Amino acid sequence: MAHQAHAYHMVDPSPWPLTGAVAALLMTSGLAVWMHFHSTILMTLGLALLLLTMIQWWRDIIREGTFQGHHTPPVQKGLRFGMVLFITSEVFFFLGFFWAFYHASLAPTPELGGCWPPTGIFALDPFEVPLLNTAVLLASGVTVTWAHHSIMEGERKQAIQSLTLTILLGFYFTFLQAMEYYEAPFTIADGVYGATFFVATGFHGLHVIIGSSFLAICLLRQAQHHFTSEHHFGFEAAAWYWHFVDVVWLFLYVSIYWWGS
Amino acid sequence: MSLSPAALAARRVFAAASHSHQEGGARTWKILSFVLAIPGVAVCMANAYMKMQAHSHEPPEFVAYPHLRIRTKRFPWGDGNHSLFHNAHTNPLPGGYEDSHH
């Protein structure tokens, strides 16, 4: 029987990259079909397939790393690089929307009234709920750091408490943003102001939901003793992602909510 | 095999990241959470609540600006004329507010 003479992980064949690609195709074409032919079936199918792909792919990674020992230090290093590169790509994703915002707001066109916010737009007060949202995310950055140190020091109960607190703060942010979206006197269809506001903050909100979900999975795994004080990269990746989400919000807050008001 | 300075630096950062181990670090962040972070949120909650009570609940007068309430393409839901988070009280349609008391 052969044993590998290296520390790397030669992954077994898996169907999930293919199902993920099919899901991406169905979601994108489904979105176009919805816009033009008013049918949601393709997009819904794509979303369902995406969900199944994510659950099973990441379940397999947890099995390979936590239970089968494939995540040796060199393998972990590769995973770290991967997460860093992914977050970097997300930074560039948001950079585009910030570019659009600054393009429109630094030189507002005559059609808008030559001013920013445009004539007829009443911006939200940055020192009401948006400031609260900033405090909520900053606080969650503190609690997720508490969680990390707890895991590193083997403080199981504290790790569960702090992770739960972080997730609750994430939910509170999402709740507050949803309320703001409903109460806002402007909509996405209110010219370039509405478009830049809701697309930038909307994608950010989606990332908050993704980050909260990632942290929730970590909470479940912590409860099931997956993490050790030396090896808990899944949690670290979630924490990095969460800090990234927080930093994007800070830029959104300063640029769109505060400077743009 | 010699690595570039950048690769060497990256290796140091990753090594540090996977072996960081401070005594009492958890306690410090726990204290920060309950003394700074959570009270900060509470203060901002109070502030937001008080400010919201202070201003009027009347939405602004409707003016049919051509650069707002764009309907070049219908929304793909409902009657195609209402945004996803439409609020009849604060969001006028292209023709004006839907509420009867405007």
Side-chain angles (χ1 to χ4, degrees):
Chain A
M1 176 161 155
H3 297 269
Q4 68 180 45
H6 59 80
Y8 296 95
H9 183 194
M10 303 304 285
V11 186
D12 290 330
S14 164
W16 312 131
L18 181 61
T19 61
V22 172
L25 172 66
L26 290 177
M27 286 194 303
T28 46
S29 51
L31 191 64
V33 163
W34 183 40
M35 289 290 158
H36 295 284
F37 306 113
H38 303 285
S39 160
T40 57
I41 179 79
L42 221 61
M43 191 176 64
T44 311
L45 220 83
L47 271 163
L49 191 56
L50 177 72
L51 204 62
L52 286 170
T53 302
M54 293 191 298
I55 289 170
Q56 292 175 105
W57 196 340
W58 284 324
R59 175 209 64 192
D60 284 353
I61 294 174
I62 291 172
R63 286 174 176 174
E64 292 158 4
T66 304
F67 301 130
Q68 296 175 347
H70 286 290
H71 290 181
T72 61
V75 171
Q76 237 199 85
K77 222 169 279 190
L79 293 170
R80 286 174 192 278
F81 258 119
M83 193 64 194
V84 165
L85 289 173
F86 173 64
I87 292 176
T88 304
S89 77
E90 295 250 76
V91 167
F92 282 103
F93 179 72
F94 277 97
L95 223 64
F97 298 121
F98 277 100
W99 183 351
F101 167 73
Y102 277 111
H103 178 98
S105 58
L106 283 168
T109 63
E111 288 85 352
L112 304 174
C115 53
W116 195 272
T119 311
I121 292 281
F122 300 94
L124 301 170
D125 184 345
F127 301 109
E128 286 186 23
V129 174
L131 183 62
L132 172 57
N133 272 340
T134 307
V136 168
L137 283 186
L138 287 173
S140 70
V142 173
T143 55
V144 82
T145 309
W146 173 21
H148 191 194
H149 284 269
S150 303
I151 292 174
M152 289 192 289
E153 291 171 27
E155 291 279 356
R156 178 184 165 75
K157 205 179 71 159
Q158 276 192 55
I160 290 172
Q161 279 175 4
S162 50
L163 242 183
T164 306
L165 201 47
T166 308
I167 295 164
L168 286 174
L169 286 165
F171 283 170
Y172 186 38
F173 177 94
T174 303
F175 167 75
L176 287 168
Q177 266 302 62
M179 293 282 313
E180 283 283 273
Y181 271 28
Y182 181 67
E183 299 289 329
F186 51 87
T187 72
I188 197 173
D190 281 325
V192 69
Y193 184 90
T196 50
F197 180 91
F198 283 104
V199 169
T201 62
F203 271 117
H204 173 262
L206 178 65
H207 283 68
V208 170
I209 292 167
I210 291 168
S212 303
S213 307
F214 195 171
L215 288 166
I217 299 292
C218 287
L219 179 61
L220 288 172
R221 295 185 66 202
Q222 164 67 8
Q224 294 182 42
H225 299 90
H226 286 199
F227 300 135
T228 74
S229 56
E230 303 289 306
H231 188 173
H232 44 263
F233 175 65
F235 171 82
E236 288 181 70
W240 290 352
Y241 195 79
W242 193 251
H243 288 306
F244 155 72
V245 160
D246 188 6
V247 169
V248 171
W249 170 259
L250 294 174
F251 278 96
L252 281 172
Y253 179 70
V254 167
S255 305
I256 298 182
Y257 285 91
W258 196 350
W259 176 82
S261 69
Chain B
M1 179 189 87
S2 66
L3 294 169
S4 71
L8 283 169
R11 186 166 70 180
R12 264 200 302 278
V13 168
F14 286 129
S18 55
H19 294 301
S20 53
H21 201 88
Q22 296 160 32
E23 291 309 320
R27 193 163 163 272
T28 306
W29 287 97
K30 180 176 182 176
I31 291 169
L32 279 170
S33 297
F34 289 112
V35 166
L36 187 64
I38 305 290
V41 170
V43 162
C44 288
M45 278 171 78
N47 170 64
Y49 183 74
M50 291 193 304
K51 277 180 151 259
M52 271 171 52
Q53 301 290 77
H55 59 58
S56 96
H57 294 275
E58 281 310 301
E61 201 61 37
F62 174 74
V63 178
Y65 292 114
H67 66 282
L68 298 181
R69 295 165 275 268
I70 312 285
R71 292 292 189 273
T72 315
K73 182 168 180 65
R74 288 170 31 138
F75 291 107
W77 53 75
D79 69 353
N81 204 20
H82 296 75
S83 65
L84 196 61
F85 290 84
H86 177 75
N87 180 338
H89 185 70
T90 61
N91 304 136
L93 297 184
Y97 287 99
E98 285 170 302
D99 295 52
S100 49
H101 50 265
H102 283 293

